[in-house]
Amino acid sequence: MSRTEREALVDLLSEKGIHDIFVLKAVGEVEREKFVPALMRLNAYRDIALPIGYEQTISQPYTVAYMTQELKVKKDAKILEIGTGSGYQAAILFKMGADVYTIERNQDLYHKTLKLFDKLGIRVQAKYGDGTLGWAKYAPFEGIIVTAGSPSVPEKLKEQLAIGGRLVIPVGSRASQKLYVITKESQNNFSTNIIPEFSFVPLIGREGWEK
Ligand code: SAM
């Protein structure tokens, strides 16, 4: 797959309003075709979500870029991702120099993506489990990004956010969500910015959807 196609995707994201140069640089470097099934490779650089098997999807590049931009990732910042999926979002965060922790609840997908991380040299901490409970062992996190739609904001994720940290999470019905960008201003004080209309597969877990 040519570099030119990735460059064209970067240009498109920039035209659509993504302005964080570190996000754009990472999108320009991560080979999205390595994160999609062979049959989907021709479409890897279109700005669309694609099926990755296990009834799951790799998110649309614009959504990945937008959410990552909202996280305001700094180099070496500790970031928790809920919903490893294909591994693409984690790879973007890794390329940006973040210290990445990622959780996936689908065991087969988790093992598949772990192998891909090894193969591509993407050094992140990954775990199989229910991400709605966060990852207390490594908390607090300067950023938490949830890549599946949730009925509400899981309390544990708010608890595990560092002061000044940001939680980016789609919240709404199963069919459509708004993106919540929550900043932990102090221990018990959060501010929330709500951005309309995104669409994600459901976040399933103790503090998510039942199934
Ligand atoms: N970040 C992914 C990527 O870059 O490909 C997108 C993944 S997909 C849109 C959402 C993922 O969240 C699915 O793989 C799904 O199995 C996972 N998921 C859903 N509920 C979860 C939970 N409670 N904990 C961890 N992962 C969960």
Side-chain angles (χ1 to χ4, degrees):
M1 202 67 59
S2 75
R3 195 169 134 65
T4 320
E5 276 184 272
R6 270 203 306 285
E7 281 168 356
L9 176 61
V10 170
D11 289 347
L12 177 70
L13 296 180
S14 168
E15 279 160 28
K16 284 180 151 184
I18 303 299
H19 49 76
D20 182 325
I21 51 164
F22 298 107
V23 174
L24 292 171
K25 189 165 176 286
V27 173
E29 285 172 1
V30 177
E31 297 167 292
R32 191 170 184 254
E33 80 264 20
K34 302 262 166 78
F35 297 83
V36 301
L39 274 172
M40 298 287 158
R41 294 227 163 110
L42 281 177
N43 290 320
Y45 293 102
R46 290 180 62 201
D47 189 22
I48 50 175
L50 294 168
I52 54 171
Y54 314 93
E55 296 179 3
Q56 299 304 330
T57 56
I58 178 173
S59 304
Q60 179 186 353
Y62 175 74
T63 302
V64 172
Y66 192 96
M67 290 177 80
T68 310
Q69 181 169 274
E70 288 296 330
L71 265 184
K72 297 197 190 301
V73 180
K74 296 204 182 78
K75 194 169 179 320
D76 296 328
K78 209 194 270 186
I79 307 286
L80 175 65
E81 179 199 20
I82 313 301
T84 314
S86 70
Y88 179 72
Q89 172 73 70
I92 292 282
L93 292 165
F94 171 71
K95 275 280 175 203
M96 292 175 74
D99 180 16
V100 183
Y101 298 77
T102 181
I103 306 177
E104 172 57 52
R105 73 172 286 278
N106 181 306
Q107 199 164 16
D108 294 336
L109 185 53
Y110 163 76
H111 285 297
K112 182 170 183 227
T113 302
L114 209 57
K115 280 195 200 131
L116 185 66
F117 285 151
D118 271 356
K119 189 171 153 200
L120 300 181
I122 296 164
R123 293 179 301 282
V124 299
Q125 301 272 352
K127 154 170 142 160
Y128 158 66
D130 179 1
T132 65
L133 305 176
W135 199 342
K137 184 174 170 197
Y138 294 108
F141 299 95
E142 282 140 291
I144 301 181
I145 177 169
V146 181
T147 65
S150 184
S152 59
V153 182
E155 275 307 313
K156 291 266 186 272
L157 299 186
K158 286 166 81 177
E159 276 171 26
Q160 292 177 22
L161 204 55
I163 293 175
R166 289 161 80 86
L167 166 60
V168 179
I169 177 169
V171 179
S173 67
R174 287 184 82 103
S176 95
Q177 302 86 31
K178 294 184 168 58
L179 195 63
Y180 282 35
V181 181
I182 299 169
T183 305
K184 189 164 183 169
E185 307 288 358
S186 64
Q187 197 52 42
N188 295 310
N189 186 17
F190 296 85
S191 62
T192 306
N193 187 18
I194 300 179
I195 300 139
E197 298 324 312
F198 282 81
S199 180
F200 287 80
V201 297
L203 180 76
I204 298 168
R206 188 126 31 111
E207 291 197 38
W209 296 100
E210 256 177 51
K211 56 184 168 148

